[in-house]
Amino acid sequence: CLSHFPKLTAPFCTLHNADNIRSYFGEGLALYFGFLEYFTFALVPMALIGIPYYLFDWDDYDKYVLFAVFNLVWSTVFLEVWKRCSATLAYRWGTLSRKKAFEEPRAGFHGSLGLNSVTGREEPVYPSSKRQLRIYLVSLPFVLLSLYLSFFMMMVYFDMENWAISVYNEDPNFMTSILLFVPSIIYAVLIEIMNLLYRYAAEFLTDWENHRLESSFQNHLVLKVLVFNFVNCFGSLFYIAFAMQDMVLLRQSLATLLITSQILNQVMEAFLPYWLQRRRNKRVHKQMKRLMGEKELPLLAQIQLETEMNSYLGTFDDYLEQFLLFGYVSLFSCVYPLAAVLVVLNNITEVYSDAFKMCHVFKRPFSEPAANIGVWQLAFETMSVIAVVTNCALIGLSPQAKAYFPESETQLILIVVAIEVMRSLVAPLYPALGSFYTG
């Protein structure tokens, strides 16, 4: 089974291994692994530019303008080329024009029995007004409360950061220099814990809202999770960049958050599943040996092993992880050019850890046809727009830009608007660039 997965040796954007994955797991998972492979290859130019940029300009925190310009162009071209790759795969698989003419109610939907006005069948009916009340009177206040708690934790983090800096200034030595990184590490761990707890709460609330269709359920869940994760993961970075305007602290915080989150994700997604799988294998072999004695029945043992595998819950968490990594790279990597290098290394291990999980940890999911990555395409495009504005704003805050407009704070807004307008004018050329890169 592992031989069907990408080996990261294919030419840029050919994604030929996706056909093998699709034939066994279906289009949904094939598109995820295709996107993961494409994202990894697309990061290579940023990584190759980032390494010398990091080495030669490490002590000069203000020379990030050129990298920011490259970053804002890359974040947009990246998604435009992926659209072409995704459409190519969907056309080859015959799912490009696939549209759901009629969706059956999701399994968790419940309500009083009534007649469907379209099909004439008897099925559960739930008033839309009652669902809207649950959304606006319960779910929305909960999301706002969670965002408030996230901001509160961010303020506590800044207090810890100020305390660590004051201790270092009073007695600069090796131990106090290490202390400077402790608040960021603690905050990064808390971010992951809060994201996990919020995810469970968001799933419970979205299920309680009782959406009739699976697509509606997924859209509301993705919206809840993305809003909180965006604020929780990137709120402190925006505050440091634009309120404090401290590029030294921004680089340190970004590096610590990115490295810590990747380590935690690798432990949870690679090492923990591998350890659990080894324990499961040992338990199954002991059970089979106790039942069958000395007889060798490898097929029966394999069947018993597969019955105890966990059910695969979908690609939600996998896309969410890539969404956050894309945010770290596209938003603020101009002040920490090694971000792309770290994400490339993370994604290389991610391919094999995800492949291992699909083949040895989870039961094979039911194949579901798909024409694209769904609502995640919109999520990545929204992040791309935010990245363009963020990089333009960082350029406006740079000493080079301030040298041209020393007395006018409004020039920053004009710079952002001008560059965004230029990007909009050049946008029609992106499909042509995609055809150039994909040959």
Side-chain angles (χ1 to χ4, degrees):
C1 178
L2 285 172
S3 63
H4 292 300
F5 282 88
K7 302 300 183 182
L8 293 178
T9 58
F12 179 75
C13 203
T14 57
L15 305 179
H16 66 272
N17 293 290
D19 291 327
N20 295 328
I21 303 174
R22 178 248 180 181
S23 64
Y24 190 76
F25 289 102
E27 288 85 3
L29 267 173
L31 281 171
Y32 163 71
F33 280 99
F35 177 80
L36 180 58
E37 181 185 2
Y38 165 78
F39 185 26
T40 306
F41 274 107
L43 284 169
V44 171
M46 290 194 69
L48 294 178
I49 296 175
I51 292 175
Y53 206 95
Y54 174 88
L55 295 177
F56 293 113
D57 286 328
W58 170 254
D59 294 326
D60 194 342
Y61 295 93
D62 298 326
K63 292 183 178 179
Y64 58 80
V65 174
L66 292 178
F67 200 88
V69 172
F70 175 77
N71 206 358
L72 63 90
V73 174
W74 174 89
S75 62
T76 306
V77 175
F78 161 77
L79 291 174
E80 294 298 328
V81 178
W82 164 248
K83 287 181 182 178
R84 184 179 180 87
C85 296
S86 176
T88 301
L89 291 175
Y91 177 78
R92 192 159 69 223
W93 298 336
T95 60
L96 182 61
S97 301
R98 178 182 177 273
K99 294 182 180 179
K100 289 186 177 180
F102 178 76
E103 282 189 74
E104 292 287 345
R106 54 185 292 267
F109 177 70
H110 59 275
S112 58
L113 288 178
L115 291 178
N116 188 306
S117 59
V118 177
T119 63
R121 293 185 304 179
E122 191 178 54
E123 62 180 32
V125 177
Y126 189 78
S128 177
S129 57
K130 187 180 292 187
R131 182 182 302 111
Q132 297 299 322
L133 287 175
R134 291 187 175 188
I135 292 175
Y136 290 108
L137 296 183
V138 179
S139 296
L140 182 59
F142 172 79
V143 173
L144 295 177
L145 177 62
S146 300
L147 294 179
Y148 172 78
L149 293 176
S150 177
F151 280 116
F152 177 77
M153 293 302 301
M154 184 177 70
M155 292 297 106
V156 173
Y157 158 66
F158 286 126
D159 290 338
M160 294 172 58
E161 195 74 50
N162 293 331
W163 171 78
I165 293 174
S166 63
V167 172
Y168 176 78
N169 291 333
E170 291 178 0
D171 184 20
N173 54 56
F174 176 75
M175 294 301 297
T176 55
S177 63
I178 295 179
L179 184 64
L180 292 174
F181 294 93
V182 172
S184 297
I185 295 175
I186 295 176
Y187 184 57
V189 174
L190 286 176
I191 284 177
E192 296 299 322
I193 295 175
M194 292 174 65
N195 286 342
L196 184 63
L197 294 177
Y198 179 84
R199 167 67 189 281
Y200 289 127
E203 286 183 347
F204 172 80
L205 282 176
T206 309
D207 185 69
W208 178 69
E209 291 167 5
N210 196 25
H211 295 277
R212 180 178 181 274
L213 302 179
E214 182 64 27
S215 59
S216 177
F217 174 87
Q218 290 296 330
N219 290 340
H220 282 79
L221 177 61
V222 168
L223 180 61
K224 290 187 184 71
V225 173
L226 288 190
V227 169
F228 180 79
N229 277 260
F230 182 86
V231 173
N232 201 31
C233 294
F234 305 118
S236 61
L237 300 179
F238 276 100
Y239 185 85
I240 295 171
F242 302 115
M244 301 174 62
Q245 297 186 15
D246 188 344
M247 297 305 158
V248 179
L249 181 58
L250 178 61
R251 173 177 284 188
Q252 174 188 321
S253 299
L254 175 61
T256 306
L257 290 175
L258 182 58
I259 294 172
T260 305
S261 64
Q262 287 185 341
I263 292 174
L264 293 176
N265 286 331
Q266 290 300 322
V267 170
M268 296 299 295
E269 293 192 7
F271 297 104
L272 184 60
Y274 177 75
W275 178 72
L276 292 176
Q277 183 61 30
R278 286 179 61 89
R279 287 191 59 187
R280 184 183 294 117
N281 290 347
K282 290 181 180 179
R283 185 175 68 252
V284 169
H285 288 311
K286 288 181 179 179
Q287 292 176 353
M288 297 305 299
K289 190 174 182 179
R290 185 171 61 251
L291 292 174
M292 308 304 300
E294 298 299 327
K295 296 180 180 179
E296 292 290 337
L297 295 174
L299 180 59
L300 187 59
Q302 181 67 22
I303 294 173
Q304 180 65 25
L305 180 64
E306 292 181 2
T307 58
E308 298 190 11
M309 287 182 174
N310 298 322
S311 298
Y312 184 64
L313 300 179
T315 56
F316 186 96
D317 290 323
D318 299 316
Y319 277 120
L320 178 61
E321 179 184 355
Q322 297 304 310
F323 172 81
L324 296 177
L325 292 177
F326 176 70
Y328 282 123
V329 171
S330 61
L331 292 174
F332 300 107
S333 65
C334 60
V335 297
Y336 184 62
L338 282 186
V341 179
L342 295 176
V343 175
V344 168
L345 296 176
N346 175 84
N347 282 3
I348 291 175
T349 58
E350 185 77 15
V351 170
Y352 292 102
S353 63
D354 287 346
F356 175 82
K357 289 190 301 181
M358 294 307 304
C359 294
H360 298 288
V361 178
F362 296 116
K363 299 175 183 177
R364 187 174 70 165
F366 290 103
S367 174
E368 183 177 353
N372 48 53
I373 61 176
V375 68
W376 291 102
Q377 181 70 37
L378 178 60
F380 278 94
E381 289 177 355
T382 304
M383 179 67 80
S384 176
V385 173
I386 297 174
V388 170
V389 177
T390 301
N391 282 276
C392 291
L394 289 172
I395 293 172
L397 292 175
S398 66
Q400 293 87 341
K402 289 182 178 179
Y404 290 100
F405 313 103
E407 298 179 357
S408 179
E409 294 292 335
T410 59
Q411 296 299 326
L412 172 61
I413 301 176
L414 296 178
I415 292 172
V416 173
V417 173
I419 298 180
E420 181 63 20
V421 169
M422 291 176 61
R423 187 189 72 88
S424 301
L425 293 175
V426 179
L429 298 178
Y430 293 147
L433 290 173
S435 63
F436 171 77
Y437 281 115
T438 56

